[in-house]
Amino acid sequence: MTREGIKGILDKHGGDRFGLIAILEDIQHKYGHLSEDSLRTVAEKTGRDLNDVYAVATFYRAFSLKPRGKHICQVCLGTACHVRGAQIIVEEMQRQLGVNAGETTPDDEVTLETVACVGACALGPIVVIDGGYVAKVNTEKVKRIIDKARSGEAGPVNMAERPTFPLKVNCPRCNHSLMDAQHHLDGHPSIRVTMAVGENHGWLRLSSVYGSYALEAEHDAPLETIIDIFCPHCHGQLTSATNCTECGAHMVPLIVRGGGIIQICARRGCKAHMLDLDGANI
Amino acid sequence: MVNLTINGLKVAVQDGSSILEAAKFLGFPIPTLCHNDGLHPYGACRLCVVEIGEGPRARMVSSCTHPVQEGMKVRTASSRVVKARKMVLELLLASCPQSKVIQDLASAHNIRQQRFKQEHEQCIMCGLCVRMCKEQMVAKAISFRGRGERRSIGTPFDAKSEVCRQCGGCIYVCPACQLRCTYSDPSKVICGGCANLTPPCVGKNESFDDMMCYMSPCVACEIKKD
C-alpha cells in the first residue's frame, strides 16, 4: 500500500472535508482493506482527526481493517434469506472453508463474511462472491460456489478488462470513411474529422474504441465549449436534429459501418452519446 | 425569555437553555449521570427523562438535550417518569453494579430489587470521558469506536496516543471507574450501604480513629469521640 496511491484517491475527491465514506470506500476497493497507514494518511490529508476517521471506519461493517482474502464471499443473513435457511448456508460455508464467518482462509484466498441484506430478497438465500450474486443457494451449491470463488471466475464483469470494441465510422453526408489508419488512438485507427471552435479550424482525432473518450486535436478547445465538427471530405457540418440529453448541445452523427449510427455530444467534456446499431433512429 | 410550566409552576427561563438547566435553576431535582456542567449534553444515560406535553400527546424526552419551548408543559417527577427512571437505573445497575455513582443513584431512588443479570461491564458508554478529553482538555485522544455490542472507547488502533497528556480527566469523570464501597457484602447486587447509612465502625469496639473511612465525612466517629 503506497501513500501515493491514497493521495491519488484523495486528489480525486478534491481534498475536501466531506465525503469521508466515499474516500474510505475507494481505498478499500483498491487495496481490499483499510490499513492503519491509510487511515493516518486520510486523517492527515483531509484535516480530520484520526479518532473520527477511525470511528467511521470501525462503525460500518462494509469497511474492513484487517487484510482480506483475494475473494470475498458474503452470505446474506437478512430476514428473507434467514427464513429460507441462510444460517445453514453459512454453517456449510464455514465447514467447507474451515474458517468462521469474518475470517480468511489460511492461504489468503477466500474471506467469508455475513451481511445483513443485499437487497435481492426474492432470490434468497443469496451469496455474493466478489460482487457477483448467486441466487437461491442450497447446501449442494456451496461447493461449486467456493470453487468458483477460488478460481476467480465469479464477480461482476470488470469494465477495464472487457474486450475492446472499436467502431469504424463513415460520414453521414458523403459516406466517406472517417477512419485514419495512419494515426492510432487506444491501439486502433482513430476517427479523423475537422473541427471549428471560434476562429480556429483544424483536425480532430477521436478514439474509435467504444467507451474511450481519448482524443487529439490541433487546437485546444476549453471544456464546456461546443465544437462544430465537419467531414474532412465533403466539408459538410456533421449535426443532427437531436440534442444532447445531458447538456442540450447538438449531437454529431456518425454512420457505423456494418449498420447503425452513433451520435456523440458536440460539447467538449460531455460524455453523452447514443449508439444505435440497428439504425432505427436514423 | 421563554415561558413554560414546570410541575404546574409557571416560570420564565432564558432562551436556549435546556429543560434540565431550567429545572435545576428553579430547584426541581432531576437525576443525571452522563451530564456534566462543563460538557456538552449528550443524552446517553436517559436518567434525566421528563415528560412533556399533555394527555395522549405527552412524551418522554431527555431533559439535558431538549431545549425549552414557549408554552411547554414539563413534569419532572410524574409516575411515568419515576417508573422509567427506576427502570433505567435498574438496567444501569445490571450493566455496572461495581460503580459507586450508579449504586448511590439506585439507593437514592429506592431501588430494592435487581431483576436483570449482572454484566459487570467496564464501561456504560456515557461518553463523559470522550467529551472531557475533547472539550475540556482539548486533546481528543479517545473516541467511540465500532458499533452495537462491539462499541468501545479508546484510541485509534489501541495505539499510544500522541495527544494524550495523561491528565487523568477521563478517569476523574468516569462513573464506572469510581468503585462502590466493598464494606457491605460485595456479592450483593444492590449495595444500599449509603441508603441504610450504617457506618462501619458502629457496634464495633475497634478504633478507626485516624484511618481513612469511605463514609467520610461521617458523624459516627465524632459521636464516639465524645
Side-chain angles (χ1 to χ4, degrees), chain B residues 146-172:
Chain B
R147 157 173 77 163
E149 60 174 7
R150 293 212 192 124
R151 198 158 183 238
S152 65
I153 289 171
T155 58
F157 306 102
D158 283 322
K160 196 172 175 294
S161 177
E162 291 151 23
V163 285
C164 175
R165 302 187 299 272
Q166 308 203 327
C167 66
C170 44
I171 301 166
Y172 177 73

Side-chain angles (χ1 to χ4, degrees), chain A residues 163-169 179 185-189 191 207-211 256-257:
Chain A
T164 49
F165 177 28
L167 297 171
K168 287 195 170 69
V169 294
M179 305 312 292
L185 271 175
D186 291 331
H188 291 277
I191 301 165
S207 169
S208 62
V209 174
Y210 186 70
V256 178
R257 241 178 275 174

Side-chain angles (χ1 to χ4, degrees), chain A residues 251-274:
Chain A
M251 301 290 275
V252 178
L254 300 163
I255 301 283
V256 178
R257 241 178 275 174
I261 189 163
I262 183 162
Q263 302 203 49
I264 56 172
C265 179
R267 193 184 296 273
R268 175 87 174 85
C270 177
K271 290 184 172 177
H273 60 274
M274 288 187 278

Side-chain angles (χ1 to χ4, degrees), chain A residues 34-37 39-40 49-52 54-55 58-61 65, chain B residues 139-147 150 154-159 162:
Chain A
L34 302 171
S35 68
E36 180 172 344
D37 196 37
L39 290 187
R40 284 186 192 280
D49 202 281
L50 178 62
N51 272 301
D52 296 339
Y54 188 76
T58 51
F59 185 86
Y60 292 101
R61 279 280 300 277
L65 274 78
Chain B
K140 212 175 179 188
I142 49 172
S143 68
F144 283 107
R145 309 169 301 178
R147 157 173 77 163
R150 293 212 192 124
T155 58
F157 306 102
D158 283 322
E162 291 151 23

